Amino acid sequence: MSVKISLALVAFVTIAACCCSGLGGLLGGAEFTTGDFADVPAYPGSTQTTDTVSGVETMLGVFNLIGESEWKHYKTPDSESDILDWYEKVLPTHGWEEASAEDMGTTSYENSAVYAKEVGSDSVMLFVMVLPDVDDTGDNHIVIGRIALETED
């Protein structure tokens, strides 16, 4: 199975997220929900929270423009590379494919990874982002978003 991610879609989300991050009042933000995704395990030893992350809520709200999304937030003292390496190993066992350079075109995501899979007749994208310690706790923030995309017939 090969899940293709539209370069136009990814470019739109990236540009909108970067350019519109100051428009929280217009776009609305996204809230973090509790509980884990059934097919996305929590990072070992992390602590789940619904606390907001400075500057992230509006960016997450932009993702709602392309499909229904849900977001989870975890904290851990582990390094970005340890976190992303763990998800790279574990997510394929839950049916996720990492988006390839071919799928993504020239778009790259620093401190993050993008995955995709088909769930029934829906295409689903998964964003795993690791944000640095923004609240002086010594913890990195893991932000995971699952976005259901409408498929064309």
Side-chain angles (χ1 to χ4, degrees):
M1 170 184 70
S2 176
V3 179
K4 295 287 185 183
I5 298 173
S6 164
L7 178 58
L9 173 65
V10 172
F12 165 76
V13 170
T14 303
I15 291 167
C18 292
C19 296
C20 299
S21 62
L23 301 177
L26 297 175
L27 292 174
E31 295 182 3
F32 294 110
T33 59
T34 59
D36 299 325
F37 293 119
D39 57 354
V40 182
Y43 182 77
S46 66
T47 302
Q48 189 174 43
T49 179
T50 56
D51 294 344
T52 60
V53 180
S54 178
V56 172
E57 278 187 324
T58 302
M59 180 188 75
L60 301 183
V62 170
F63 284 93
N64 283 327
L65 297 174
I66 61 167
E68 184 179 333
S69 68
E70 185 176 0
W71 296 89
K72 307 295 182 182
H73 177 199
Y74 304 87
K75 293 181 180 183
T76 180
D78 291 356
S79 72
E80 169 199 329
S81 61
D82 286 348
I83 296 164
L84 292 175
D85 288 348
W86 185 82
Y87 277 108
E88 183 178 2
K89 291 176 189 166
V90 170
L91 288 176
T93 67
H94 293 272
W96 294 99
E97 290 183 18
E98 188 167 11
S100 68
E102 179 182 311
D103 294 332
M104 302 299 289
T106 58
T107 305
S108 65
Y109 295 93
E110 192 172 315
N111 307 328
S112 63
V114 180
Y115 296 85
K117 75 176 184 177
E118 299 293 328
V119 177
S121 61
D122 294 329
S123 294
V124 181
M125 292 175 63
L126 184 76
F127 291 84
V128 178
M129 298 176 271
V130 181
L131 307 173
D133 178 14
V134 293
D135 52 7
D136 296 325
T137 62
D139 287 335
N140 282 314
H141 298 264
I142 305 168
V143 175
I144 301 174
R146 183 184 171 104
I147 303 167
L149 304 173
E150 290 185 20
T151 56
E152 296 178 9
D153 293 332

